[in-house]
């Protein structure tokens, strides 16, 4: 398997930081989105998607596995945005 295609190992520290960012994002972003007029489900979705994308990008790019090139960093950033939005949508609206 190609080195660029390997999945990075995620440490407990990375998981802790990711979960901390998601929890803090939900604590601080849901209320302002509600005050902007979004429904509760949509405000939770956007807060969770945004904070999960930031947390996953931070963990994948800087904490657990440093990106070796700009192209791999860009791919990881796009992948983290797509995964966080998809998983957040599934958990909030489908489950």
């Amino acid at each position: 398997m190609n080195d660029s295609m390997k999945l990075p190992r995620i440490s407990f520290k990375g998981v802790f930081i990711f979960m901390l960012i998601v929890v803090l994002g939900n604590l601080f972003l849901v209320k302002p989105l509600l005050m902007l007029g979004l429904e509760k489900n949509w405000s939770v979705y956007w807060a969770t998607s945004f904070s999960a994308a930031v947390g996953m990008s931070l963990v994948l790019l800087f904490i657990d596995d440093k990106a070796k090139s700009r192209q791999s960093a860009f791919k990881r950033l796009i992948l983290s945005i797509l995964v966080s939005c998809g998983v957040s949508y599934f958990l909030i609206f489908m489950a």
Side-chain angles (χ1 to χ4, degrees), residues 6-8 52-53 56-57 60 72-87:
K6 285 185 183 176
L7 292 175
M56 198 181 309
S57 299
L60 286 177
S72 67
F74 183 72
K75 284 180 185 178
R76 288 181 185 181
L77 180 66
I78 296 299
L79 182 67
S80 67
I81 291 170
L82 292 175
V83 167
S84 65
C85 289
V87 170

Side-chain angles (χ1 to χ4, degrees), residues 23-75:
V23 168
L24 290 175
N26 279 322
L27 284 175
F28 293 118
L29 292 176
V30 171
K31 193 69 127 180
L33 291 173
L34 284 172
M35 292 189 320
L36 286 175
L38 286 175
E39 293 179 18
K40 185 176 182 179
N41 285 345
W42 283 104
S43 60
V44 171
Y45 167 72
W46 285 113
T48 305
S49 295
F50 178 73
S51 59
V54 169
M56 198 181 309
S57 299
L58 181 71
V59 169
L60 286 177
L61 293 176
F62 299 112
I63 294 174
D64 284 337
D65 192 32
K66 308 220 185 298
K68 302 197 181 12
S69 68
R70 283 193 139 180
Q71 185 178 13
S72 67
F74 183 72
K75 284 180 185 178

